[in-house]
């Protein structure tokens, strides 16, 4: 990455005190939260910028480049993202306990540096960086949050009179120098809507004494220029000089004056090459802004196109789902119709078989009934004959008894005739019975054969229908 034209002159940085050992930095306070406000820390950890974009940065140099391109202020919250109007007490905007907002990229990158566990050499590279004042500001803020309070004055000692300017407020409007920012770090706990870690009272007293002992320095050339302008104005002025002694200029100057004079000094040192580099840097920054705006426009257009494509894809998916549903419904209806047709055929076959079975059963029952009727008739005939025979026997016995009284010879002849008649009747009855039995046997045999043939015929039909 090319260095910016407004480079800082090399300053004498105090070396680490004997209490600091080696290249490893000590950590003061909480080793997990970096002593940050809990609300700021939760917003940092939950922000998509920290979870997605900063997660891909793995090295110290990548994080420094990200600070150079993305950081424009060192306030913990973005402009307009935190509404604290009407809140007082612990819910006010100073404490950072109330409603949260969108955490700034500066604090996200500050916590990213903490996750990298910077060494002493890397931290010195941050606070002496020449490309951007915001890289230095994050380095000094890292020191304020993580280093022991007794070491703060030793870290900041060589930079309390640094004149490099930066705008620390979100949206602009609060320009200060690096030295003023460091003095604020050492003497105040509040920094916009958050708090720095507390410094013990004895250490704070020592820091206040050292700061009072060394007031803010003013460049010699600047004082000379002011004296020259003052004498010229006194010579050219028409008014009289007052007898009162001339007042010395105040050590604190407005940011515009100090910035213009420092710019004038840089011009005198570097000449036209500095102007060219400054113009190049301004052109580069303007091109970067235009590129960012183009990227934003492209991103918005891409988002619109993606939404449109998503809507078209959703409509196509819905149409395809409807088509698939209608096709599945048609298939189900066809299957149901086929099942109904098949069920109707099966029911018809079952009805036919059932009717056939019923017909065979009816025929069998008819045969049984006819057989039973014939048997009943036979039994009835036999019973009637036996009754008639018994009646005849009784009548014959009664007659024979009467005749016995009349005539014994006649009775004997009659008895013989009766015996002969009885034998004849018996023979006739025996022949008739045998004839009837033979006829009944033939009929039963014929009926059995007919039923067997019918059952065989029905079984053949069933086998054919099942095949």
């Amino acid at each position: 990455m090319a260095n910016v034209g407004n480079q800082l002159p090399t300053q004498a940085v105090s070396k680490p005190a004997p209490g600091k050992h080696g290249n490893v930095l000590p950590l003061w306070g909480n080793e997990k939260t970096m002593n940050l406000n809990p609300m700021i820390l939760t917003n940092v950890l939950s922000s998509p910028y920290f979870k997605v974009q900063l997660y891909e940065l793995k090295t110290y140099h990548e994080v420094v480049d990200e600070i150079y391109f993305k950081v424009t202020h060192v306030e913990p919250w973005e402009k307009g993202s935190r509404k604290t109007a009407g809140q007082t007490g612990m819910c006010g905007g100073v404490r950072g306990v109330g409603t949260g907002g969108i955490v700034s990229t500066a604090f996200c990158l500050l916590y990213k540096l903490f996750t990298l566990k910077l060494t002493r050499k890397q931290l010195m590279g941050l606070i002496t960086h020449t490309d951007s004042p915001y890289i230095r500001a994050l380095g000094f803020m890292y020191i304020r949050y993580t280093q022991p309070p007794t070491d703060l004055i030793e870290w900041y000692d060589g930079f309390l009179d640094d004149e490099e300017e930066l705008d620390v407020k979100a949206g602009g409007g609060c320009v200060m120098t690096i030295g003023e920012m460091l003095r604020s770090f050492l003497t105040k706990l509040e920094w916009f809507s958050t708090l720095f870690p507390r410094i013990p009272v004895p250490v704070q007293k020592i820091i206040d004494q050292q700061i009072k002992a060394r007031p803010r320095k003013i460049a010699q050339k600047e004082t000379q220029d002011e004296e020259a302008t003052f004498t010229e104005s006194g010579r050219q002025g028409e008014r009289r000089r007052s007898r009162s002694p001339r007042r010395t200029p105040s050590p604190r100057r407005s940011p515009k004056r100090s910035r213009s004079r420092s710019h004038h000094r840089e011009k005198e040192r570097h000449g036209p090459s500095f102007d060219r580099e400054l113009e190049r840097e301004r052109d580069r920054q303007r091109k970067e802004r235009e590129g960012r705006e183009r990227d934003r426009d492209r991103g918005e257009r891409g988002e619109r196109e993606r939404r449109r494509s998503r809507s078209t894809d959703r409509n196509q998916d819905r149409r395809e789902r409807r088509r698939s549903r209608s096709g599945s419904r048609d298939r189900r209806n066809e299957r149901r119709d086929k099942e109904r047709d098949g069920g109707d055929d099966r029911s018809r076959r079952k009805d036919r078989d059932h009717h056939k079975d019923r017909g065979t059963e009816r025929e069998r029952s008819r045969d049984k009934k006819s057989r039973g009727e014939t048997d009943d008739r036979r039994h009835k005939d036999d019973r009637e004959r036996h009754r008639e025979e018994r009646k005849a026997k009784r009548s014959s016995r009664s007659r024979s008894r009467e005749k016995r009284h009349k005539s014994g010879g006649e009775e004997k002849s009659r008895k013989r005739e009766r015996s002969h008649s009885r034998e004849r009747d018996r023979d006739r009855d025996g022949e008739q019975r045998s004839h009837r039995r033979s006829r009944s046997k033939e009929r039963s045999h014929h009926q059995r054969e007919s039923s067997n043939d019918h059952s065989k015929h029905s079984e053949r039909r069933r086998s054919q229908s099942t095949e």
Side-chain angles (χ1 to χ4, degrees):
M1 186 173 60
N3 292 332
V4 185
N6 53 354
Q7 293 179 350
L8 295 172
T10 57
Q11 298 178 355
V13 180
S14 61
K15 295 183 179 180
K20 303 174 185 178
H21 301 286
N23 198 26
V24 180
L25 284 174
L27 289 177
W28 183 76
N30 197 328
E31 296 182 356
K32 294 182 179 180
T33 63
M34 202 185 79
N35 303 316
L36 283 172
N37 192 332
M39 179 159 288
I40 294 175
L41 181 61
T42 53
N43 279 274
V44 168
L45 296 175
S46 62
S47 66
Y49 175 69
F50 181 80
K51 291 191 293 185
V52 179
Q53 297 181 12
L54 296 186
Y55 180 76
E56 297 176 356
L57 305 180
K58 303 297 182 182
T59 61
Y60 163 79
H61 297 287
E62 290 176 351
V63 177
V64 171
D65 292 340
E66 187 73 11
I67 295 170
Y68 179 80
F69 287 112
K70 294 295 177 69
V71 177
T72 57
H73 63 89
V74 289
E75 193 175 346
W77 305 102
E78 293 294 340
K79 183 181 179 182
S81 65
R82 195 153 185 269
K83 298 178 181 179
T84 57
Q87 295 180 357
T88 58
M90 292 298 290
C91 293
V94 176
R95 295 290 178 180
V97 179
T99 56
I102 300 172
V103 70
S104 65
T105 56
F107 271 72
C108 290
L109 288 162
L110 180 64
Y111 192 75
K112 181 65 179 179
L113 290 172
F114 178 72
T115 59
L116 295 177
K117 304 297 181 186
L118 298 180
T119 61
R120 191 181 305 278
K121 185 178 180 181
Q122 290 173 346
L123 188 55
M124 290 297 293
L126 283 177
I127 62 179
T128 58
H129 210 282
T130 58
D131 289 344
S132 173
Y134 297 103
I135 299 173
R136 301 181 67 198
L138 286 185
F140 289 122
M141 197 172 288
Y142 184 88
I143 293 170
R144 182 66 179 85
Y145 272 107
T146 62
Q147 295 304 300
T150 55
D151 298 339
L152 293 178
I153 193 66
E154 295 176 359
W155 280 103
Y156 292 164
D157 190 18
F159 305 97
L160 291 175
D161 299 323
D162 198 319
E163 295 295 329
E164 187 176 8
E165 295 178 346
L166 75 162
D167 197 345
V168 296
K169 189 176 180 181
C174 185
V175 179
M176 64 172 60
T177 63
I178 295 291
E180 291 174 352
M181 185 182 70
L182 296 182
R183 290 174 184 268
S184 176
F185 286 176
L186 291 172
T187 57
K188 295 180 181 180
L189 287 177
E190 298 174 359
W191 177 254
F192 291 97
S193 59
T194 186
L195 294 174
F196 286 124
R198 293 186 180 275
I199 299 174
V201 176
V203 180
Q204 186 67 52
K205 289 181 180 180
I206 295 170
I207 291 172
D208 293 338
Q209 290 175 2
Q210 290 183 2
I211 290 175
K212 288 179 181 179
R214 49 174 304 176
R216 183 169 173 267
K217 294 180 182 179
I218 301 170
Q220 295 178 358
K221 194 166 187 179
E222 187 176 352
T223 55
Q224 291 176 2
D225 293 336
E226 287 178 356
E227 289 178 357
T229 54
F230 183 76
T231 53
E232 288 176 0
S233 63
R235 290 174 184 177
Q236 294 176 0
E238 296 177 356
R239 60 184 180 180
R240 294 177 301 173
R241 294 182 181 178
S242 62
R243 295 180 180 178
S244 62
R246 186 176 60 187
R247 294 181 179 178
T248 57
S250 61
R252 292 186 178 272
R253 308 199 184 287
S254 64
K256 293 182 180 179
R257 292 180 66 186
S258 62
R259 183 170 56 193
S260 62
R261 292 185 181 280
S262 62
H263 182 67
H264 182 68
R265 289 199 304 272
E266 294 293 337
K267 275 188 178 181
E268 289 179 354
R269 286 180 185 175
H270 300 283
S273 62
F274 177 76
D275 295 334
R276 291 175 186 174
E277 291 179 356
L278 186 61
E279 289 177 358
R280 288 175 185 173
E281 181 62 24
R282 288 176 181 174
D283 294 335
R284 186 180 66 80
Q285 291 178 356
R286 187 178 68 255
K287 289 178 181 179
E288 285 181 357
R289 290 175 185 174
E290 292 176 356
R292 289 174 185 174
E293 292 177 356
R294 290 175 186 173
D295 294 336
R296 289 177 184 174
D297 296 334
R298 289 176 184 174
E300 291 177 356
R301 291 175 184 174
E303 287 291 333
R304 293 174 184 173
E305 292 177 356
R306 287 174 186 173
R307 290 176 183 175
R308 292 176 183 174
S309 63
R310 287 175 184 173
S311 62
T312 53
D313 294 335
R314 288 175 182 172
N315 294 327
Q316 290 179 357
D317 293 335
R318 289 175 182 173
R319 291 174 184 173
E320 290 177 357
R321 288 176 183 174
R322 289 175 183 174
R323 290 175 184 173
S324 63
R325 288 176 182 174
S326 62
S328 63
R329 288 175 183 172
D330 296 334
R331 291 172 184 173
R332 289 176 184 174
N333 293 326
E334 289 178 358
R335 289 177 183 175
R336 288 177 183 174
D337 295 333
K338 288 180 180 179
E339 288 177 356
R340 287 176 183 174
D341 295 334
D344 294 335
D345 295 334
R346 291 174 184 174
S347 62
R348 287 173 186 173
R349 291 175 184 175
K350 288 180 180 179
D351 292 335
R352 288 175 185 174
D353 296 334
H354 187 63
H355 286 303
K356 289 178 182 179
D357 295 334
R358 283 185 178 179
T360 54
E361 288 177 356
R362 286 175 184 174
E363 290 177 357
R364 290 177 183 175
S365 63
R366 287 175 185 175
D367 295 334
K368 288 180 180 180
K369 285 181 181 179
S370 63
R371 291 175 187 173
E373 288 176 355
T374 53
D375 293 334
D376 292 336
R377 286 176 185 176
R378 288 174 188 173
H379 289 299
K380 286 180 181 180
D381 294 336
D382 293 335
R383 287 175 184 176
E384 287 176 356
R385 285 175 185 173
H386 286 296
R387 287 175 184 175
E388 288 177 356
E389 288 177 355
R390 287 176 183 176
K391 287 179 181 180
K393 286 179 180 180
R394 289 174 184 176
S395 63
S396 64
R397 286 176 183 176
S398 62
R399 287 173 185 174
S400 64
R401 286 175 184 175
E402 288 176 356
K403 287 178 180 181
R404 281 177 186 175
H405 292 288
K406 290 179 181 180
S407 61
E410 291 178 0
E411 287 180 0
K412 289 181 181 178
S413 63
R414 286 176 184 175
K415 285 181 181 178
R416 288 176 184 175
E417 288 177 2
R418 286 175 184 172
S419 63
H420 287 297
S421 64
R422 286 175 184 172
E423 289 177 359
R424 288 174 186 173
D425 293 332
R426 287 175 183 173
D427 294 332
R428 288 176 185 175
D429 292 333
E431 290 176 359
Q432 288 178 0
R433 287 176 183 175
S434 63
H435 186 64
R436 286 175 183 174
R437 287 175 182 174
S438 62
R439 285 181 181 178
S440 65
K441 286 179 181 180
E442 288 176 358
R443 287 178 185 175
S444 63
H445 183 68
H446 183 68
Q447 288 175 358
R448 287 175 184 172
E449 288 179 354
S450 62
S451 64
N452 290 327
D453 295 333
H454 188 71
S455 62
K456 288 179 181 180
H457 186 64
S458 63
E459 287 177 357
R460 287 176 185 174
R461 286 181 181 177
R462 287 178 185 173
S463 63
Q464 290 177 358
S465 64
T466 54
E467 288 176 358

